[in-house]
Amino acid sequence: MSVQTWTWILVGVTFALYFGIAIWARAGSTNDFYVAGGGVSPLANGMATAADWMSAASFISMAGIISFAGYDGSVYLMGWTGGYVLLALLLAPYLRKFGKFTVPDFIGDRYYSNSARTVAVICALIVSFTYVAGQMRGVGIVFSQFLQVDITLGVIIGMAVVLVFAFLGGMKGITYTQVAQYCVLIFAFMVPAIFISIQMTGNIIPQVGMGGTLEDGTYLLDKLDTLHTELGFKEYTQGSKSTWDVFAITFALMVGTAGLPHVIVRFFTVPKVKDARKSAGLALLFIAILYTTAPAVAVFSRTNLIETVRDQSYADIPQWFKNWEDTGLIAWSDKNGDGKIQYVQGAALVGKKPEFLEGRGAYGERLISNASDATNELYVDRDIMVLANPEIAGLPNWVIALVAAGGLAAALSTAAGLLLVISTSISHDLIKKQLKPNISDKGELRWARASILVAIVIAGLFGIYPPGFVAAVVALAFGLAAASFFPAIILGIFDKRMNKQGAVAGMVVGITLMLGYMIVYKTGLIGIMDPLPASEWWFGTSPEGFGTIAMCVNVVVSIVVSRMTPKPPTAVTDMVENIRIPSGAGKAAQH
C-alpha cells in the first residue's frame, strides 16, 4: 500500500481511539473537568504528563534542531529533562498539598490578592497561546504532507479532534486520551530509530548505535564530523555557543519547564501528595525514552541526508525530496547550472523560507526567487528531519505513516493540555473567583466549555494565519514561564515573608522584560525594524537564554519590594508553613 493509504489507516485508527476515550471519560462536574476527579493513578498521570509535555516541538523539531546544531543542541536535552527534576523535588508535592486547581489559583490564594490572580491569568494566557499556536501549525504541516490536504484544512481537522476530547471530557478526557497518545507517539518515534540503527550500525539500541561503527569500521560520529568539515561546517561534535549562553539557555528551559501551567496542573489529578512525586518521576522516565533517542535520530538523519543529496544529480534524486519540495520545507537553486545539488556551508536563500515561482525549471526543480549569493544551493527546514527520516532511509511505507500518526499525537496532546489551561484560567480564575463567585457548578462548567471553544478557534487561526513572530517565539514560551511563574511559585512556597506586592511586582517586571527582549532581539518590531543582531545581545545572552536573566530580575524585585512593604497576614504564613510538609493532603479543591 502507498504511504498515503497507510497514513489514512493509522491516523483514522488512532483518532477513533481518541474519540472513544473522550466519550467514555465525559466530565460530569467541574472536579472532573479541571482535575479528572483527582483519582488518576501515578502511572497513568506520568504517561499523560509525558504526552502533555512532548509536543510537536519535542517529536518533530528537537531532533531536527540537534541535527543542525550538533553539540549545541544538548541544551534542549538538559533543560527540558532537568525541569522535571525541579518539578519532582521543589514544586509537585507542595502544590499538590496546597490542593487548588490552577497556578493562578495558587498565586491568588497564596498572595491573598485578586490582582495577583489576574496578573497570573494574563501570564498563563500569554504562555499558553504562544505555545499552542505552534502545535496547531504542526498539525497542519503533517496533514499537508502525508494526507495531501491543504494546511488550512489540516488545522481545521486538528481543531475538531482536540475540541471533541477537550470539550466533552475536560481534564478527565484529556488525561486518558493522552495516555493513548503517549503510547502512539513513543512507538512512532522508536520504531524508525531502531530500524535505522540496525540498518546503519547493526545495533538494535539507537542510543548505542549512535556511538557505534559503520560497515567499514568507521565510527558513525567520526564519519559525520568528516562530512561536516568537508562541506565547510564545524565538526558536528563541537559547539560554537559560549559557556554562559549554554548555561543560560539550559537554566531557562529548566525553570520554564517547572513553571509551565499545563504541566503543573497535572499534579492536582492524583489522589495523594506522594502520588504527585511518583507522577513526576514516572513522567521523567517516560520522557527520557524519547529524549535519549533524539540525539541518535539527529545523527542518523543528518548523515543520511548529506550522503543522499550531496553532489547528487537532481534528475536522479529520490522521490521523497520532490515530495517535501512541494511543501516548501526543502528547496534547491542550481546556482552554477550543473544540475547537481551542491550542499555546503552558507545561506542558500535570502530570508528564512523559499519564495517559489510558478512552474518548474530545466531539471524539474521548483524555482525560487530569493536565492542568495552563497555557493550553498540547498535549503532544508530542520522540522523535516524526523518526518522525512524514514523516507530518506528507505524504510517501509507503514513506518513512514506511523511517524505521521506520532507527530499528530504529540501536537494534539499538548494542544489539549494548553487549551484546558486557557479555559480554566478564564472560567475558574476569572469568572468563579472574581466576577461571579456564586456561580453554580453547572454554570462554571458551561463557562469552561465555552472558553475552550473560543480558545480553540483563536489557536486555529494562529495555525492557519501564523503571524511571523509566533513561529519565532514558540520555543520562548519557556522563557516567559521562567520569567513570570517560577519565582512567584518557588518564593510562595519557601519564603514566608513574600507578600502580594512583591509577587505582583516581580511577575510584571519579569514577563515585561522577557517580552521586550524577545521582540527586539528575536522578532523585531513588526513592520518597523528587523531583529537586532547577536552582537548586541545583553551579556552575550541569546533570546532563548534570556529567561534566566529575567527570572533573576523577578526574584530580586520580588524580594526587595516584599521587604519594603507590610508582612503577609498570619493566616497566610501559617498556610505556607503547612504546605511545606507534603503529607496529609486531601482531594484537590476549588474553594
Side-chain angles (χ1 to χ4, degrees):
M1 287 189 291
S2 67
V3 172
Q4 189 172 356
T5 302
W6 269 115
T7 304
W8 278 112
I9 292 172
L10 292 180
V11 169
V13 169
T14 55
F15 277 23
L17 176 63
Y18 305 154
F19 286 140
I21 292 173
I23 294 171
W24 167 75
R26 292 189 304 274
S29 67
T30 53
N31 195 41
D32 284 343
F33 196 89
Y34 292 145
V35 290
V40 180
S41 71
L43 178 62
N45 197 48
M47 296 177 74
T49 304
D52 206 355
W53 167 241
M54 290 191 292
S55 64
S58 293
F59 188 95
I60 297 173
S61 297
M62 185 174 65
I65 292 171
I66 298 171
S67 70
F68 282 83
Y71 179 84
D72 287 336
S74 62
V75 296
Y76 297 96
L77 302 174
M78 295 185 294
W80 283 341
T81 52
Y84 273 89
V85 177
L86 287 180
L87 270 175
L89 296 178
L90 296 181
L91 298 183
Y94 304 104
L95 290 174
R96 179 60 190 84
K97 176 68 178 290
F98 189 75
K100 294 303 175 98
F101 282 154
T102 66
V103 173
D105 211 4
F106 167 80
I107 290 176
D109 283 11
R110 164 58 182 87
Y111 295 113
Y112 50 98
S113 168
N114 276 337
S115 296
R117 191 190 308 275
T118 302
V119 171
V121 167
I122 293 171
C123 292
L125 294 177
I126 291 173
V127 172
S128 298
F129 271 121
T130 300
Y131 207 153
V132 78
Q135 310 308 314
M136 301 312 298
R137 190 63 177 176
V139 169
I141 289 172
V142 173
F143 272 120
S144 173
Q145 170 60 13
F146 291 104
L147 298 182
Q148 301 300 307
V149 300
D150 184 72
I151 286 182
T152 298
L153 179 58
V155 172
I156 293 172
I157 295 172
M159 289 166 58
V161 174
V162 174
L163 182 62
V164 169
F165 57 78
F167 191 85
L168 288 179
M171 180 58 81
K172 188 177 180 182
I174 287 171
T175 295
Y176 293 107
T177 303
Q178 285 174 336
V179 171
Q181 287 167 333
Y182 174 78
C183 296
V184 171
L185 75 87
I186 203 67
F187 187 69
F189 198 84
M190 294 303 299
V191 167
I194 292 170
F195 274 20
I196 298 174
S197 182
I198 294 172
Q199 185 184 79
M200 295 182 72
T201 69
N203 200 303
I204 195 172
I205 303 174
Q207 294 89 335
V208 177
M210 180 180 66
T213 57
L214 303 171
E215 288 185 357
D216 60 3
T218 305
Y219 282 102
L220 176 57
L221 286 172
D222 287 342
K223 174 67 175 292
L224 186 53
D225 278 344
T226 301
L227 290 173
H228 262 231
T229 54
E230 287 176 354
L231 299 178
F233 297 99
K234 289 180 65 69
E235 288 187 351
Y236 185 83
T237 54
Q238 286 189 357
S240 58
K241 289 184 178 293
S242 67
T243 302
W244 158 248
D245 199 33
V246 168
F247 169 81
I249 294 173
T250 302
F251 195 73
L253 293 174
M254 286 177 64
V255 296
T257 298
L260 283 176
H262 74 289
V263 173
I264 292 174
V265 73
R266 296 230 55 93
F267 300 110
F268 299 120
T269 66
V270 293
K272 295 177 289 187
V273 170
K274 69 177 182 180
D275 293 335
R277 196 184 295 275
K278 285 181 182 178
S279 294
L282 288 167
L284 182 58
L285 173 63
F286 294 137
I287 291 167
I289 296 173
L290 187 146
Y291 271 55
T292 57
T293 307
V297 171
V299 169
F300 298 153
S301 60
R302 182 69 173 165
T303 304
N304 279 334
L305 174 71
I306 292 173
E307 292 193 315
T308 300
V309 304
R310 183 179 61 156
D311 296 326
Q312 177 73 27
S313 169
Y314 185 85
D316 300 326
I317 204 71
Q319 186 59 41
W320 68 263
F321 186 98
K322 297 178 181 180
N323 292 341
W324 282 102
E325 197 176 27
D326 289 338
T327 68
L329 298 177
I330 196 167
W332 169 62
S333 176
D334 190 18
K335 297 176 181 178
N336 57 11
D338 64 354
K340 293 183 178 181
I341 297 174
Q342 180 171 286
Y343 185 37
V344 293
Q345 169 70 352
L349 308 175
V350 176
K352 295 182 179 180
K353 297 289 182 182
E355 296 173 5
F356 290 107
L357 300 174
E358 294 294 328
R360 296 274 181 170
Y363 303 100
E365 79 278 12
R366 290 199 68 183
L367 298 174
I368 58 176
S369 62
N370 61 329
S372 73
D373 294 331
T375 55
N376 179 29
E377 297 179 347
L378 182 66
Y379 163 82
V380 182
D381 190 300
R382 63 192 180 191
D383 284 347
I384 78 166
M385 298 306 288
V386 170
L387 296 174
N389 193 27
E391 296 177 270
I392 299 172
L395 297 185
N397 287 345
W398 69 268
V399 177
I400 299 170
L402 181 64
V403 172
L408 289 172
L412 294 174
S413 62
T414 302
L418 290 164
L419 289 167
L420 188 67
V421 166
I422 294 168
S423 165
T424 307
S425 296
I426 295 171
S427 63
H428 182 70
D429 297 310
L430 282 182
I431 304 298
K432 172 68 175 178
K433 287 293 186 176
Q434 298 187 61
L435 302 180
K436 294 184 176 181
N438 296 320
I439 191 172
S440 67
D441 190 71
K442 288 185 177 180
E444 186 180 352
L445 193 57
R446 283 195 295 269
W447 272 103
R449 286 179 166 145
S451 300
I452 277 193
L453 184 60
V454 173
I456 201 165
V457 170
I458 296 173
L461 289 173
F462 275 136
I464 296 169
Y465 307 106
F469 65 90
V470 170
V473 303
V474 165
L476 302 177
F478 301 92
L480 292 168
S484 56
F485 281 132
F486 185 77
I489 297 171
I490 205 74
L491 291 173
I493 294 171
F494 295 104
D495 182 7
K496 290 193 291 185
R497 182 62 178 81
M498 183 55 56
N499 61 13
K500 62 182 180 182
Q501 292 90 344
V504 170
M507 285 191 293
V508 170
V509 170
I511 199 163
T512 302
L513 189 60
M514 183 65 197
L515 279 171
Y517 198 85
M518 284 166 46
I519 290 171
V520 173
Y521 292 98
K522 190 70 175 180
T523 68
L525 297 175
I526 309 303
I528 300 176
M529 60 173 283
D530 292 327
L532 294 181
S535 59
E536 297 190 27
W537 287 349
W538 296 5
F539 315 111
T541 310
S542 64
E544 290 82 1
F546 192 75
T548 296
I549 293 178
M551 183 209 67
C552 292
V553 172
N554 181 335
V555 171
V556 171
V557 169
S558 297
I559 292 175
V560 170
V561 171
S562 69
R563 268 53 179 183
M564 297 173 63
T565 48
K567 293 181 179 180
T570 303
V572 171
T573 57
D574 290 343
M575 175 178 64
V576 173
E577 189 68 37
N578 181 51
I579 65 173
R580 287 183 185 178
I581 306 171
S583 63
K587 293 182 178 181
Q590 61 173 315
H591 300 294

